[in-house]
Amino acid sequence: SGWTDVTQQLREASQGMKIGTMIHGPEFSLYEAMSALELMDPKMDPGMKSKDGKEIDIDSPDPPTDLSRRDMLAVMDRLFSCFVAWCQGHTLCY
């Protein structure tokens, strides 16, 4: 089937490991692994919950229409800051 069971090798290798260490390939990047997320999945996407912990309703895409100019600029500033951070390789978490 093309698959090889390495369960026993991993168990043997883990016997000499200390807590907090892990087995990984040479190309593994912890930073990239921690930065990976699945958009729109409430378990993986930190943007799917509001500040009070409630899930955001993505089925109502209508933005608020009663924002003041100051609030609108604050939203635009935050979005631009997040975009720049993302372009620099940071996660989309806030």
Side-chain angles (χ1 to χ4, degrees):
S1 70
W3 292 94
T4 303
D5 186 357
V6 295
T7 305
Q8 189 57 39
Q9 290 93 332
L10 290 174
R11 283 193 177 126
E12 291 171 6
S14 69
Q15 295 301 313
M17 295 176 67
K18 296 179 181 177
I19 294 177
T21 58
M22 66 182 196
I23 298 172
H24 59 82
E27 299 297 319
F28 178 80
S29 166
L30 185 59
Y31 176 77
E32 289 179 12
M34 296 303 291
S35 299
L37 58 96
E38 188 172 328
L39 295 178
M40 306 306 282
D41 179 351
K43 294 179 186 172
M44 299 286 292
D45 187 351
M48 289 298 295
K49 292 199 187 256
S50 63
K51 298 283 185 193
D52 59 5
K54 296 178 183 173
E55 279 192 25
I56 295 173
D57 181 16
I58 59 170
D59 293 329
S60 62
D62 296 329
T65 57
D66 58 346
L67 290 177
S68 68
R69 287 184 181 181
R70 181 184 179 110
D71 289 340
M72 184 70 74
L73 285 173
V75 169
M76 292 170 62
D77 182 60
R78 179 71 177 144
L79 286 172
F80 185 68
S81 297
C82 289
F83 175 72
V84 170
W86 178 73
C87 288
Q88 294 174 342
H90 298 279
T91 64
L92 296 176
C93 301
Y94 53 89

